[in-house]
Amino acid sequence: MDFVLSGSAACGACLFTNPLEVVKTRMQLQGELRSRGTYQVHYRNVFHAFYTIAKVDGLAGLQKGLVPGLVYQFCMNGVRLGSYAVIESSGYIHTNGRVSGVKTTLAGASAGVVGAVIGSPVYLVKTHLQSQSTSSIAVGHQYKHQGMIHALAAIYRQHGILGLWRGSSAAIPRVTVGSSAQLSTFSSAKELVVDLQIFPKDSWLVALSAGMISSVVVVMAMTPFDVVSTRLYNQPVNPAGKGLIYEGFADCFSKTLKKEGLTGLYKGLGASYFRLGPHTILSLFFWEELRKMYRKDR
């Protein structure tokens, strides 16, 4: 039940934040490996990107990739948060009755690795679909998928089963870093809020406050890995399934840093917070409240 509740919580958050994921993906691909001032800027900021996508692709364009997004959230976060919940309930993350920063970080990272591996094929398809747009505002490589099932079938047909896990070399460090940062700060922040007696111990405001604190840490830690992950997943490949722009995680990281500087690795930071911030807050809040409701009914 921990896994089902965790997946449901993440899907609830995804319904609200998927348009922000589309914006974030487009902004991270814009000006790929190009110096500032040498490429056309279709998306000046988060709000301009929203307006541009809605105007050119229609309102439906802001919900591109929603189906694989929901599947990814249920599978990846169901496993990730569900695993963490099992570890937490076993008492592992506590030392002498207090939350251990080292143990929560290790537990979060371990849960993240498992979730990233399982969810990678659907994340690949989600990235392809969300980057697809009308040619006048297109950024990054443009795939021509007609939907999630069509995309999975096409990738499998062309590159075999291993082709579905292309880009996972970036997904694993991305989710590992994000998961360890998110879950360790969430557990510690919850304990801090309770200790300060700002809200009653069982109040929903405790989880909400802890989620808000966690979201800031997650975005700062995860954005460089998120940029690299988006670019690796979206790059064109040869018939053998090998990337034509990047050889892997380290190559993409170094090329981006060399061509675009540190700001390149934090490209779309505003969009990342507008997406990852609310998603972190909502998913952790829904997760905590659903678990409380389930425990009460038992």
Side-chain angles (χ1 to χ4, degrees), residues 44-120:
R44 291 196 294 269
N45 53 52
V46 179
F47 305 106
H48 182 254
F50 257 101
Y51 170 76
T52 302
I53 295 168
K55 181 183 177 182
V56 179
D57 289 342
L59 289 175
L62 289 168
Q63 283 291 12
K64 283 192 173 181
L66 178 61
V67 173
L70 290 170
V71 174
Y72 173 74
Q73 291 298 333
F74 190 83
C75 294
M76 193 277 285
N77 277 312
V79 171
R80 185 178 71 89
L81 295 178
S83 299
Y84 186 81
V86 171
I87 295 170
E88 183 182 43
S89 61
S90 71
Y92 172 77
I93 69 168
H94 293 88
T95 300
N96 299 324
R98 304 288 295 176
V99 171
S100 166
V102 174
K103 288 183 177 180
T104 53
T105 300
L106 289 173
S110 301
V113 169
V114 179
V117 172
I118 290 173
S120 187

Side-chain angles (χ1 to χ4, degrees), residues 158-169:
Q158 292 173 22
H159 306 296
I161 192 71
L162 291 179
L164 293 170
W165 268 268
R166 189 178 80 241
S168 59
S169 63

Side-chain angles (χ1 to χ4, degrees), residues 21 24-25 28 65 67-69 71-73 75-76 115-130 148 152 155 164-168 170-172 174-175 222 225-234 275-276:
E21 179 75 7
K24 175 184 71 69
T25 298
Q28 289 177 342
V67 173
V71 174
Y72 173 74
Q73 291 298 333
C75 294
M76 193 277 285
V117 172
I118 290 173
S120 187
V122 191
Y123 193 89
L124 170 68
V125 169
K126 180 186 73 68
T127 303
H128 289 182
L129 291 174
Q130 289 178 336
M148 183 180 77
L152 289 170
I155 295 168
L164 293 170
W165 268 268
R166 189 178 80 241
S168 59
I172 291 172
R174 171 187 176 271
V175 178
M222 194 173 174
F225 297 91
D226 200 34
V227 170
V228 171
S229 182
T230 297
R231 292 182 174 188
L232 277 177
Y233 274 123
N234 196 65
R275 184 267 164 187
L276 288 170

Side-chain angles (χ1 to χ4, degrees), residues 9 31 47 51 81 97 104 138 150 157 165 186 213 219 246 252 267:
F47 305 106
Y51 170 76
L81 295 178
T104 53
H150 174 267
R157 196 163 50 247
W165 268 268
F186 182 66
I213 294 168
V219 172
Y246 312 108
C252 182
K267 189 168 277 185

